[in-house]
Amino acid sequence: MSDDAERFYELRDEVDREAKMYAEAADGALPDSFTDESGLITARLDEQGLLSFDIADRWRDGIEASALGDRIVATFQALNAARIEAWATNVGDASEKEHRASPIPSTQDSVAAKLQEALLAQPDSTPAVEQALENMLAFLDDVSANLDETFAGALSRGRQTEEVAPLSRHLTVELAAGGQLVAVSMSPNWVAGSSGAQISRELNDTLREAFDKTASAREAGPLDGSPLEKYGRYIDDPDAFVAFITGRE
C-alpha cells in the first residue's frame, strides 16, 4: 500500500511540474504579425485575438485581383503557423529548466474533507451517507452518459463560423468562433478599382463585426448548452457541490 501511495505522489508531482512548464511556455512571447513574402499583405492579431490586415497600395504589383482573397487567408495561416512554431520553441526552452512541484494543499480544503465534515454534522450519519452515495452515483452516471455529447458540443462550438458581409456587399468573410479566418471573397469589380487602404479598411471592419458576432460561442463556459450544463456552477464552487451531493440544496 505504501508503494502505491508513493507512486501516486510521484505522479502528482510529475503532473504539477509539467503544468508549470506549460504555464511558463504560455507566458512566452508569440508573434502578433506576419508579412507575406511579397511584402504586400500583413496580418495582425491584437491581445483579444481580433484579426486585421494591412494591404499595400501597390498590391497589384504582385497579386492578381482574383487571388487577393486567397492570399489574405494564406497570410493569416502563415501567421498562425509562426505562432505555433514559437509556442513549440517556448515549450522546448521551458522543458530545459527545473520546475519544482508545489506543496500538496491541506486535505482540509478538499471536496472529500468538506463532504466528510458535512456528513458527520448530521444527527444520524448513516442515512445521510447512504443518500450522499446515491447522489454521487447518480452524478457519475449522468456525467458518464453525457460526456461524449458534451465534448462533441464544445468541439462543434469552436468550429462554428460566422459569415459576414458589409452593407456594400463588396466582400464577405467567414470567421470561426476561435478567431480563425476561413475564407475571404471579394467583388472583382470593386477589388480592381480599390486601393490597399480601402480594401484594408472594409475588410477590417467586417472582421471586427464577425469577431463580435462569434463572441458568445468563444466566451461560453465549457458546459454551456450541454446535457451537463447544470453542473457548471460546481466547477469553481466545491461548497455548492458538497451541498448538492448531501441533498442540502
Side-chain angles (χ1 to χ4, degrees):
M1 183 66 71
S2 61
D3 289 344
D4 289 340
E6 184 66 25
R7 284 195 291 269
F8 173 80
Y9 286 119
E10 288 176 355
L11 176 61
R12 178 263 173 196
D13 287 349
E14 181 180 350
V15 170
D16 192 52
R17 287 191 294 268
E18 289 282 320
K20 290 179 180 297
M21 181 191 73
Y22 282 108
E24 179 180 328
D27 288 337
L30 298 178
D32 57 10
S33 67
F34 182 89
T35 301
D36 75 336
E37 60 184 11
S38 70
L40 301 174
I41 302 176
T42 298
R44 290 187 172 84
L45 276 173
D46 69 10
E47 293 181 354
Q48 285 71 45
L50 174 62
L51 180 64
S52 63
F53 289 89
D54 288 331
I55 301 171
D57 281 335
R58 59 182 183 85
W59 65 269
R60 293 179 187 79
D61 293 347
I63 305 174
E64 294 289 336
S66 60
L68 182 57
D70 290 341
R71 288 286 292 273
I72 289 171
V73 175
T75 304
F76 161 72
Q77 292 172 340
L79 170 59
N80 206 33
R83 289 173 64 85
I84 293 172
E85 183 178 353
W87 158 254
T89 299
N90 291 345
V91 171
D93 292 343
S95 68
E96 295 178 358
K97 301 178 183 178
E98 181 180 3
H99 297 87
R100 296 183 180 276
S102 302
I104 296 177
S106 170
T107 56
Q108 297 304 313
D109 296 328
S110 68
V111 173
K114 291 177 180 292
L115 180 58
Q116 182 182 31
E117 181 181 359
L119 293 174
L120 291 176
Q122 299 295 320
D124 186 353
S125 63
T126 299
V129 169
E130 291 177 351
Q131 183 62 55
L133 287 174
E134 289 180 6
N135 291 343
M136 179 65 79
L137 289 174
F139 165 73
L140 293 174
D141 285 343
D142 195 14
V143 170
S144 177
N146 292 289
L147 188 60
D148 287 346
E149 183 178 345
T150 298
F151 178 78
L155 192 62
S156 176
R157 281 201 305 272
R159 290 175 174 172
Q160 287 177 1
T161 60
E162 186 72 35
E163 188 174 278
V164 174
L167 292 176
S168 66
R169 311 302 296 182
H170 289 153
L171 59 86
T172 301
V173 302
E174 188 175 350
L175 194 73
Q180 295 82 16
L181 182 62
V182 177
V184 175
S185 59
M186 300 181 176
S187 166
N189 292 336
W190 175 72
V191 170
S194 298
S195 68
Q198 290 173 316
I199 297 171
S200 299
R201 183 169 53 253
E202 191 147 351
L203 173 62
N204 292 337
D205 286 346
T206 308
L207 284 169
R208 187 177 298 107
E209 182 181 350
F211 189 77
D212 290 343
K213 285 188 173 182
T214 56
S216 58
R218 191 167 52 253
E219 297 167 0
L223 301 181
D224 288 1
S226 77
L228 302 180
E229 182 176 9
K230 56 185 176 291
Y231 301 127
R233 61 196 178 97
Y234 302 134
I235 293 176
D236 297 317
D237 192 348
D239 291 326
F241 182 68
V242 169
F244 163 70
I245 293 298
T246 55
R248 292 189 285 111
E249 65 163 26

